[in-house]
């Protein structure tokens, strides 16, 4: 029992390292690399805020394919690290993106950096607090009203509506809805889950799994349809060779951004846990898998790119259209690359 708890605490801390600090490091590498390399490739016209947004957009990972290959029973530490980082990474990327949107880029200095960090922690902490509160309220309501065997419909409806309410409140208060509903879900799974009947638990699990699958399928269907939007490709007004150079550069920066934090933070985690008994070490092989697993970009990257470079999904600006096509290509390429590597396993 102690061995399991020590492993769980160790993997949770490392996942937080990767999911929070990793996003900052990766965003800095991608932003700096884009700022330096893209103009040299002939792609100019991006503003300072857009370069910062690019760093955040391409720092968001999608570890779905990786988790399909990894088995929790065979590699529990690796599975926990990849899954934990993927969940925290998405929430952190969205919060950092929102903080950048509020940034005054007319003068960038040390105070500006502190302002971004301050906004990030404000959004992170307040969104987390709202999500925790909503989760506890859901548990209290379900326990107090004590539906039990009288109505599973009411129990399931309350869980869904309270989770959705937490998201809407966060958006109304200009906080991070994704982070809020994420922590609301964690609290509900730990407390509200035990205040409903077995039939409600089974139904809820399948309902949320189905909704998640449909939403993910819709996102990738939309990406596929948008990739065939010929007008958007014509709008870029760049040569094919230039576009290929931009795509390759972004993929390279993504891999460099991953390497910039996976290996140092893994070494730091091993160093901090060296005194803990029965704590598994993150081997170099594990680090390579974690690094490669972060290549995939998915729904969050697409959503942030459309939020930054379009208005209601539409743009008539060649620069914005180029960034949308860049994001689509990176998502499709990274997904196919991981699918091929998964199939060869």
């Amino acid at each position: 029992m102690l061995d399991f708890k020590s492993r769980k605490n160790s993997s949770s801390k490392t996942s937080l390292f990767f999911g929070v600090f990793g996003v900052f490091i990766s965003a800095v590498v991608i932003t700096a690399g884009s700022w330096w390399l893209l103009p040299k490739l002939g792609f100019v016209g991006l503003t300072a805020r857009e370069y910062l947004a690019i760093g955040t957009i391409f720092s968001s990972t999608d570890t779905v394919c990786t988790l399909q290959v990894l088995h929790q029973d065979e590699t529990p530490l690796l599975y926990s690290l990849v899954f934990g980082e993927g969940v925290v990474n998405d929430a952190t990327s969205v919060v950092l993106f929102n903080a950048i949107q509020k940034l005054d880029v007319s003068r960038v200095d040390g105070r500006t950096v502190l302002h971004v960090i301050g906004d990030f922690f404000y959004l992170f902490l307040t969104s987390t607090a709202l999500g925790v509160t909503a989760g506890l309220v859901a548990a209290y309501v379900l326990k107090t009203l004590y539906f039990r065997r009288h109505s599973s419909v009411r129990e399931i409806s309350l869980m869904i509506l309270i989770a959705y309410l937490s998201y809407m409140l966060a958006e109304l208060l200009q906080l991070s809805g994704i982070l809020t509903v994420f922590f609301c879900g964690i609290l509900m799974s730990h407390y509200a889950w035990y205040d409903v009947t077995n039939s409600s638990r089974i139904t809820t699990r399948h309902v949320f799994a189905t909704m998640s699958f449909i939403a993910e399928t819709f996102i990738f269907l939309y990406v596929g349809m948008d990739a065939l939007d010929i007008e958007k490709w014509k709008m870029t007004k760049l040569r094919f060779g230039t576009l290929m150079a931009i795509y390759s550069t972004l993929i390279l920066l993504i891999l460099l951004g991953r390497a910039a934090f996976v290996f140092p933070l893994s070494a730091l985690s091993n160093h901090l846990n060296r005194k803990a008994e029965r704590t598994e070490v993150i081997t170099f092989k594990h680090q390579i898998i974690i690094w490669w697993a972060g290549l995939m970009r998915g729904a969050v990257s697409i959503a942030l790119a459309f939020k930054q470079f379009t208005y209601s999904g539409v743009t008539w600006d060649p620069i914005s259209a180029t960034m949308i096509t860049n994001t689509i290509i990176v998502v499709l390429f990274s997904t196919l690359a991981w699918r091929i590597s998964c199939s060869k396993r």
Side-chain angles (χ1 to χ4, degrees), residues 121-178:
F121 280 106
Y122 167 75
L123 289 172
F124 193 93
L125 294 176
T126 51
S127 300
T128 300
L130 181 58
V132 170
T133 302
L136 293 176
V137 168
Y140 178 78
V141 169
L142 288 170
K143 186 175 183 179
T144 303
L145 295 182
Y146 197 76
F147 291 122
R148 290 301 177 187
R149 291 173 177 78
H150 296 296
S151 178
S152 294
V153 174
R154 292 193 183 97
E155 291 178 335
I156 298 170
S157 299
L158 273 174
M159 294 179 70
I160 295 176
L161 290 174
I162 291 178
Y164 184 66
L165 177 63
S166 69
Y167 177 85
M168 294 301 298
L169 283 175
E171 292 297 318
L172 288 173
L173 297 174
Q174 296 184 342
L175 303 176
S176 173
I178 291 180

Side-chain angles (χ1 to χ4, degrees), residues 138-140 142-143 147-148 155 191-197 201:
Y140 178 78
L142 288 170
K143 186 175 183 179
F147 291 122
R148 290 301 177 187
E155 291 178 335
Y191 299 103
W193 182 257
Y194 300 100
D195 294 323
V196 298
T197 60
R201 296 175 191 175

Side-chain angles (χ1 to χ4, degrees), residues 34 38 43-51 54 309 319-320 323:
S34 301
L38 292 186
F43 183 48
V44 295
L46 292 171
T47 64
R49 178 180 284 109
E50 288 172 339
Y51 277 115
I54 289 173
F309 296 105
I319 296 174
S320 297
M323 285 311 307

Side-chain angles (χ1 to χ4, degrees), residues 24 96 99-100 103 111-121:
F24 275 93
L96 183 59
I100 289 174
L103 177 65
R111 184 176 296 179
T112 305
V113 175
L114 293 177
H115 190 265
V116 172
I117 296 175
D119 282 344
F120 170 80
F121 280 106

Side-chain angles (χ1 to χ4, degrees), residues 241-261:
T242 302
L243 291 173
M244 290 302 299
I246 295 174
Y247 305 148
S248 302
T249 300
L250 290 174
I251 294 292
L252 177 62
L253 290 175
I254 288 171
L255 292 174
L256 289 177
R258 292 286 301 174
F261 77 83

